[in-house]
Amino acid sequence: MLTVHHLGKSQSERIVWLCEELGIPYELKRYARDSVTMLAPPDYKALHPIGAAPVITDGDLLLAESGAIVDYIIAEYGDGRLVLRVDDPDFAQFLYWFHFANGTLQAGMGRLMLLNRLKLTEDNPMLVATKARIDRAFDLVDARVRDAEYLAGSSFTTADIMTVFTLTTMRYFQPYDLSRCPNVVRYLGRVSARPAYRRAMEKGDPEMTLLLS
């Protein structure tokens, strides 16, 4: 049995969502963050040497890293769904946005979160540069979903599943004002209307308010 070890308010929501979109059987094990530190509990950290979410087990397999997990589940259980074939005209866009999610957008938000914890002055060059980079990343997403229904084009794909966490739940850790990105807000409206998304969030984080605007 595929088991998704889900840490509340974490990137592992992507994996719950993916399983719901595919309609595959899986076991969901939920773990709550420490109410003071907001860190993962010891039993979650013990799952994998890196101690971070997400983690899955599937038989004897133990796998971390959301991108790797998404690729594994698609390869094992996807039957060609939620990805584009190499001969699809939007294949390159699919690849770009799938990797943009953690390579640029999530990584940038993580850096900004850490810098803000250092209580730097507003004119600190590193802080200024990081904020500007984040704005450019959000602007790029906003422009893309102005011109396309989903990140890969007309088809909903794993690129969307990878990206939405940073546009929503990550803002609990690093706030970002989406009022400057009206197309992103409309995109989140489209995505969040998907029944599988609603099921995933209700199962994984039933008490969490969804940050969709």
Side-chain angles (χ1 to χ4, degrees), residues 18-168:
L18 174 62
C19 290
E20 290 295 327
E21 289 283 353
L22 292 174
I24 59 175
Y26 70 101
E27 180 181 1
L28 178 63
K29 290 189 176 181
R30 294 174 54 203
Y31 301 75
R33 290 180 178 272
D34 185 282
S35 60
V36 176
T37 66
M38 289 300 291
L39 298 176
D43 53 345
Y44 197 95
K45 292 180 180 179
L47 290 170
H48 189 275
I50 205 69
V55 173
I56 64 165
T57 50
D58 193 16
D60 294 331
L61 173 73
L62 172 70
L63 188 62
E65 291 293 339
S66 56
I69 293 170
V70 168
D71 279 345
Y72 170 80
I73 291 175
I74 287 294
E76 284 288 321
Y77 304 106
D79 292 326
R81 293 173 290 170
L82 301 181
V83 294
L84 299 185
R85 293 168 52 91
V86 68
D87 58 353
D88 190 293
D90 289 322
F91 177 70
Q93 289 288 345
F94 163 69
L95 284 183
Y96 176 78
W97 290 106
F98 182 90
H99 291 284
F100 176 89
N102 271 7
T104 297
L105 189 61
Q106 177 65 17
M109 287 285 274
R111 282 192 294 270
L112 184 57
M113 179 183 70
L114 293 175
L115 288 173
N116 282 330
R117 290 180 178 177
L118 296 176
K119 306 298 184 184
L120 302 173
T121 61
E122 284 297 314
D123 62 349
N124 178 275
M126 180 66 73
L127 183 60
V128 170
T130 301
K131 286 182 175 179
R133 184 175 176 84
I134 289 296
D135 284 344
R136 290 196 299 272
F138 271 82
D139 288 346
L140 192 62
V141 177
D142 196 65
R144 176 59 178 167
V145 295
R146 177 196 63 210
D147 299 331
E149 185 175 7
Y150 298 110
L151 291 170
S154 60
S155 299
F156 175 85
T157 68
T158 54
D160 301 290
I161 291 175
M162 286 292 295
T163 302
V164 166
F165 167 81
T166 312
L167 302 177
T168 56

